[in-house]
Amino acid sequence: MRRNLSSYPLMWRLMDMLEAIFKKIWPKGGGFWSPYLMLSPAILLVGLLVLGLGYIGDASLRTLDTSTFLFSEEWSLTNYERALIEPFIRSVIWRSILGATIVTMITLLLAFPYTYVMVRTRSAFLRKFLLITLFLPFFIGQVVRAYGWLIILGKQGIVNDILGLVGIEPLRMLFNYPSVLFGLVQYMFPFAVLMLAPALTAIPEEIEAAAESLGASWVETMLHVIFPMAKSGMIGAGLVVLTLSLTDFAMPAILGGGTQDFVANAIYDQFFRTSDQGFGSSLAVLLIVIGSFLVWVVFVLVGAGTLAMGAKDK
């Protein structure tokens, strides 16, 4: 047993201090209300979110008078009608939904084999290499990564330099829809792998061995055993990628060059370029509605996946 408190680790002493402070504030240890006290940060965050949504909802119902630049006192649905009628806004909404769907499918298609190799490989070196490759992008911000792709894929970039060595004319690989999707897939890939890894890790290797011992080929084992058992992880990963892609701002703005805007970019323009906060708020509400509807459809059709966090279906 250690003789004085200074010999204890610093973390232990900090925890003792926190415990002493808590006892002074809450002498009886919290009693019945302790569990509810733990929920207070979450309740505060949700309360602030609801408050912000209420403000946005109120602003979305007020129209801007362009002669006085004042907002109307009365509520109306003019901003929503305008958002649904204007061809440009409808094309932006459609582009966002289509882009998020394509990015989700491609990302899952790429992330699944990567995750499978990462959790199944017996090589410690390969596993570490895959983990480092996975986590390294998290240390680089999304904007920095997007500008990095500008350097790599630009007309004077590395890729075109290599193509020039074999006699191919420089290609225009930026400021179009595929370049935005490429940037989003690259950005979402680590999120999908992190969501898939627990689901694939939970599948015992003995089940694969049992399937193969019964005569199933590797492809049949993947299709009839691994995919169904990893379904919850794929759903969770798909939902995360879908919602993040739908609301992304940086990739469409930088790799799209202002010609491939998503809804988030249109909201930014209304708030900070045209100063029409009412119309921008209506677009924000529409984005929330569209995202919630897509998530609801997935929940109804295939369930919540790993986002249900172990809850059992009734």
Side-chain angles (χ1 to χ4, degrees):
M1 184 176 178
R2 305 190 184 197
R3 294 182 179 179
N4 54 66
L5 291 176
S6 61
S7 61
Y8 285 94
L10 176 62
M11 183 60 69
W12 290 17
R13 280 180 278 158
L14 289 174
M15 295 300 291
D16 288 342
M17 290 173 59
L18 289 175
E19 184 181 357
I21 293 172
F22 182 75
K23 283 183 177 178
K24 287 186 179 299
I25 298 173
W26 208 264
K28 294 182 180 179
F32 175 78
W33 295 103
S34 292
Y36 299 98
L37 188 65
M38 302 295 180
L39 293 176
S40 56
I43 294 172
L44 178 63
L45 288 174
V46 172
L48 290 173
L49 177 63
V50 172
L51 187 65
L53 288 175
Y55 175 80
I56 291 174
D58 175 75
S60 70
L61 297 172
R62 302 184 187 278
T63 54
L64 178 68
D65 186 341
T66 54
S67 61
T68 62
F69 280 95
L70 294 175
F71 288 97
S72 62
E73 295 292 334
E74 298 79 20
W75 286 348
S76 72
L77 296 175
T78 305
N79 288 325
Y80 291 99
E81 293 173 0
R82 181 184 163 194
L84 296 175
I85 290 175
E86 282 192 9
F88 173 73
I89 298 299
R90 284 194 300 180
S91 67
V92 168
I93 293 174
W94 169 244
R95 184 186 301 135
S96 303
I97 296 173
L98 180 64
T101 306
I102 294 174
V103 168
T104 302
M105 295 172 65
I106 295 176
T107 305
L108 288 179
L109 195 63
L110 296 176
F112 191 90
Y114 186 98
T115 313
Y116 182 81
V117 173
M118 187 178 72
V119 301
R120 283 289 191 263
T121 181
R122 300 187 185 283
S123 168
F125 172 79
L126 180 58
R127 184 179 295 108
K128 289 177 182 176
F129 174 76
L130 294 175
L131 283 171
I132 292 172
T133 306
L134 178 68
F135 283 103
L136 196 59
F138 284 111
F139 297 100
I140 306 171
Q142 187 188 14
V143 174
V144 176
R145 267 190 271 175
Y147 278 113
W149 286 118
L150 289 181
I151 297 172
I152 295 171
L153 300 177
K155 280 198 172 180
Q156 306 298 325
I158 300 170
V159 175
N160 270 321
D161 286 346
I162 295 173
L163 293 177
L165 295 176
V166 293
I168 299 176
E169 292 293 322
L171 301 175
R172 185 176 182 272
M173 292 180 281
L174 291 173
F175 309 136
N176 49 40
Y177 199 46
S179 66
V180 174
L181 300 184
F182 172 79
L184 284 172
V185 169
Q186 187 269 335
Y187 178 62
M188 299 299 167
F189 183 81
F191 294 102
V193 173
L194 289 178
M195 293 294 295
L196 277 170
L200 287 176
T201 305
I203 301 173
E205 293 186 46
E206 291 79 6
I207 291 181
E208 293 179 58
E212 291 173 2
S213 68
L214 292 173
S217 64
W218 183 81
V219 175
E220 290 172 331
T221 302
M222 291 298 291
L223 292 177
H224 299 291
V225 178
I226 302 301
F227 281 151
M229 295 186 74
K231 177 184 171 184
S232 60
M234 295 183 71
I235 295 170
L239 285 172
V240 170
V241 173
L242 179 71
T243 52
L244 290 178
S245 301
L246 187 66
T247 58
D248 195 76
F249 175 85
M251 290 299 177
I254 297 174
L255 296 184
T259 62
Q260 305 295 330
D261 286 348
F262 278 20
V263 179
N265 306 102
I267 294 171
Y268 175 87
D269 289 341
Q270 297 303 321
F271 270 89
F272 299 104
R273 292 185 177 174
T274 64
S275 298
D276 191 348
Q277 296 183 8
F279 188 52
S281 298
S282 67
L283 293 179
V285 172
L286 284 176
L287 181 59
I288 294 170
V289 171
I290 292 169
S292 302
F293 176 75
L294 292 176
V295 171
W296 175 77
V297 169
V298 174
F299 279 6
V300 170
L301 294 179
V302 292
T306 51
L307 297 183
M309 293 188 295
K312 295 180 179 178
D313 297 331
K314 294 182 179 179

PDB file of all heavy atoms in Angstrom, residues 292-305:
ATOM      1  N   SER A 292     -34.623  13.473 -43.210  1.00  0.00           N
ATOM      2  CA  SER A 292     -35.418  12.667 -42.272  1.00  0.00           C
ATOM      3  C   SER A 292     -36.276  11.654 -43.025  1.00  0.00           C
ATOM      4  O   SER A 292     -36.423  10.506 -42.575  1.00  0.00           O
ATOM      5  CB  SER A 292     -36.312  13.586 -41.431  1.00  0.00           C
ATOM      6  OG  SER A 292     -35.547  14.530 -40.735  1.00  0.00           O
ATOM      7  N   PHE A 293     -36.812  12.070 -44.165  1.00  0.00           N
ATOM      8  CA  PHE A 293     -37.648  11.150 -44.952  1.00  0.00           C
ATOM      9  C   PHE A 293     -36.821   9.973 -45.470  1.00  0.00           C
ATOM     10  O   PHE A 293     -37.260   8.814 -45.395  1.00  0.00           O
ATOM     11  CB  PHE A 293     -38.285  11.904 -46.118  1.00  0.00           C
ATOM     12  CG  PHE A 293     -39.077  11.023 -47.046  1.00  0.00           C
ATOM     13  CD1 PHE A 293     -40.324  10.542 -46.666  1.00  0.00           C
ATOM     14  CD2 PHE A 293     -38.565  10.661 -48.284  1.00  0.00           C
ATOM     15  CE1 PHE A 293     -41.050   9.716 -47.514  1.00  0.00           C
ATOM     16  CE2 PHE A 293     -39.283   9.833 -49.131  1.00  0.00           C
ATOM     17  CZ  PHE A 293     -40.523   9.365 -48.744  1.00  0.00           C
ATOM     18  N   LEU A 294     -35.622  10.266 -45.985  1.00  0.00           N
ATOM     19  CA  LEU A 294     -34.773   9.187 -46.496  1.00  0.00           C
ATOM     20  C   LEU A 294     -34.392   8.208 -45.383  1.00  0.00           C
ATOM     21  O   LEU A 294     -34.409   6.986 -45.576  1.00  0.00           O
ATOM     22  CB  LEU A 294     -33.511   9.778 -47.136  1.00  0.00           C
ATOM     23  CG  LEU A 294     -33.715  10.576 -48.429  1.00  0.00           C
ATOM     24  CD1 LEU A 294     -32.399  11.185 -48.893  1.00  0.00           C
ATOM     25  CD2 LEU A 294     -34.292   9.692 -49.519  1.00  0.00           C
ATOM     26  N   VAL A 295     -34.062   8.748 -44.208  1.00  0.00           N
ATOM     27  CA  VAL A 295     -33.716   7.879 -43.074  1.00  0.00           C
ATOM     28  C   VAL A 295     -34.930   7.057 -42.651  1.00  0.00           C
ATOM     29  O   VAL A 295     -34.817   5.861 -42.352  1.00  0.00           O
ATOM     30  CB  VAL A 295     -33.198   8.732 -41.902  1.00  0.00           C
ATOM     31  CG1 VAL A 295     -33.035   7.876 -40.652  1.00  0.00           C
ATOM     32  CG2 VAL A 295     -31.871   9.391 -42.266  1.00  0.00           C
ATOM     33  N   TRP A 296     -36.112   7.686 -42.649  1.00  0.00           N
ATOM     34  CA  TRP A 296     -37.340   6.960 -42.271  1.00  0.00           C
ATOM     35  C   TRP A 296     -37.604   5.821 -43.253  1.00  0.00           C
ATOM     36  O   TRP A 296     -37.994   4.720 -42.838  1.00  0.00           O
ATOM     37  CB  TRP A 296     -38.507   7.936 -42.253  1.00  0.00           C
ATOM     38  CG  TRP A 296     -39.825   7.281 -41.986  1.00  0.00           C
ATOM     39  CD1 TRP A 296     -40.316   6.846 -40.790  1.00  0.00           C
ATOM     40  CD2 TRP A 296     -40.830   6.945 -42.969  1.00  0.00           C
ATOM     41  NE1 TRP A 296     -41.559   6.284 -40.955  1.00  0.00           N
ATOM     42  CE2 TRP A 296     -41.899   6.323 -42.277  1.00  0.00           C
ATOM     43  CE3 TRP A 296     -40.923   7.130 -44.354  1.00  0.00           C
ATOM     44  CZ2 TRP A 296     -43.042   5.887 -42.935  1.00  0.00           C
ATOM     45  CZ3 TRP A 296     -42.064   6.682 -45.004  1.00  0.00           C
ATOM     46  CH2 TRP A 296     -43.102   6.070 -44.296  1.00  0.00           C
ATOM     47  N   VAL A 297     -37.416   6.087 -44.545  1.00  0.00           N
ATOM     48  CA  VAL A 297     -37.635   5.032 -45.562  1.00  0.00           C
ATOM     49  C   VAL A 297     -36.702   3.848 -45.311  1.00  0.00           C
ATOM     50  O   VAL A 297     -37.120   2.685 -45.356  1.00  0.00           O
ATOM     51  CB  VAL A 297     -37.413   5.604 -46.978  1.00  0.00           C
ATOM     52  CG1 VAL A 297     -37.371   4.485 -48.007  1.00  0.00           C
ATOM     53  CG2 VAL A 297     -38.517   6.590 -47.333  1.00  0.00           C
ATOM     54  N   VAL A 298     -35.441   4.156 -45.002  1.00  0.00           N
ATOM     55  CA  VAL A 298     -34.484   3.075 -44.727  1.00  0.00           C
ATOM     56  C   VAL A 298     -34.888   2.315 -43.464  1.00  0.00           C
ATOM     57  O   VAL A 298     -34.854   1.072 -43.426  1.00  0.00           O
ATOM     58  CB  VAL A 298     -33.060   3.652 -44.564  1.00  0.00           C
ATOM     59  CG1 VAL A 298     -32.092   2.558 -44.128  1.00  0.00           C
ATOM     60  CG2 VAL A 298     -32.592   4.268 -45.870  1.00  0.00           C
ATOM     61  N   PHE A 299     -35.294   3.043 -42.439  1.00  0.00           N
ATOM     62  CA  PHE A 299     -35.728   2.387 -41.197  1.00  0.00           C
ATOM     63  C   PHE A 299     -36.907   1.444 -41.457  1.00  0.00           C
ATOM     64  O   PHE A 299     -36.955   0.325 -40.937  1.00  0.00           O
ATOM     65  CB  PHE A 299     -36.132   3.436 -40.163  1.00  0.00           C
ATOM     66  CG  PHE A 299     -34.975   4.039 -39.425  1.00  0.00           C
ATOM     67  CD1 PHE A 299     -33.670   3.755 -39.768  1.00  0.00           C
ATOM     68  CD2 PHE A 299     -35.194   4.901 -38.367  1.00  0.00           C
ATOM     69  CE1 PHE A 299     -32.597   4.312 -39.097  1.00  0.00           C
ATOM     70  CE2 PHE A 299     -34.133   5.475 -37.674  1.00  0.00           C
ATOM     71  CZ  PHE A 299     -32.836   5.171 -38.044  1.00  0.00           C
ATOM     72  N   VAL A 300     -37.857   1.899 -42.260  1.00  0.00           N
ATOM     73  CA  VAL A 300     -39.057   1.098 -42.520  1.00  0.00           C
ATOM     74  C   VAL A 300     -38.726  -0.125 -43.368  1.00  0.00           C
ATOM     75  O   VAL A 300     -39.203  -1.237 -43.102  1.00  0.00           O
ATOM     76  CB  VAL A 300     -40.134   1.960 -43.224  1.00  0.00           C
ATOM     77  CG1 VAL A 300     -41.284   1.087 -43.721  1.00  0.00           C
ATOM     78  CG2 VAL A 300     -40.654   3.027 -42.259  1.00  0.00           C
ATOM     79  N   LEU A 301     -37.881   0.066 -44.378  1.00  0.00           N
ATOM     80  CA  LEU A 301     -37.615  -1.020 -45.326  1.00  0.00           C
ATOM     81  C   LEU A 301     -36.630  -2.051 -44.777  1.00  0.00           C
ATOM     82  O   LEU A 301     -36.845  -3.258 -44.924  1.00  0.00           O
ATOM     83  CB  LEU A 301     -37.071  -0.451 -46.643  1.00  0.00           C
ATOM     84  CG  LEU A 301     -38.042   0.408 -47.462  1.00  0.00           C
ATOM     85  CD1 LEU A 301     -37.368   0.932 -48.713  1.00  0.00           C
ATOM     86  CD2 LEU A 301     -39.289  -0.393 -47.831  1.00  0.00           C
ATOM     87  N   VAL A 302     -35.548  -1.589 -44.143  1.00  0.00           N
ATOM     88  CA  VAL A 302     -34.490  -2.540 -43.751  1.00  0.00           C
ATOM     89  C   VAL A 302     -34.081  -2.429 -42.289  1.00  0.00           C
ATOM     90  O   VAL A 302     -33.220  -3.172 -41.823  1.00  0.00           O
ATOM     91  CB  VAL A 302     -33.237  -2.355 -44.641  1.00  0.00           C
ATOM     92  CG1 VAL A 302     -33.516  -2.789 -46.058  1.00  0.00           C
ATOM     93  CG2 VAL A 302     -32.765  -0.912 -44.627  1.00  0.00           C
ATOM     94  N   GLY A 303     -34.667  -1.510 -41.519  1.00  0.00           N
ATOM     95  CA  GLY A 303     -34.328  -1.391 -40.097  1.00  0.00           C
ATOM     96  C   GLY A 303     -33.257  -0.349 -39.839  1.00  0.00           C
ATOM     97  O   GLY A 303     -32.745   0.288 -40.767  1.00  0.00           O
ATOM     98  N   ALA A 304     -32.910  -0.201 -38.558  1.00  0.00           N
ATOM     99  CA  ALA A 304     -31.960   0.844 -38.154  1.00  0.00           C
ATOM    100  C   ALA A 304     -30.520   0.376 -38.162  1.00  0.00           C
ATOM    101  O   ALA A 304     -29.606   1.179 -37.963  1.00  0.00           O
ATOM    102  CB  ALA A 304     -32.316   1.363 -36.764  1.00  0.00           C
ATOM    103  N   GLY A 305     -30.285  -0.937 -38.364  1.00  0.00           N
ATOM    104  CA  GLY A 305     -28.910  -1.434 -38.393  1.00  0.00           C
ATOM    105  C   GLY A 305     -28.206  -1.232 -37.065  1.00  0.00           C
ATOM    106  O   GLY A 305     -28.820  -1.314 -35.989  1.00  0.00           O
TER     107      GLY A 305
END
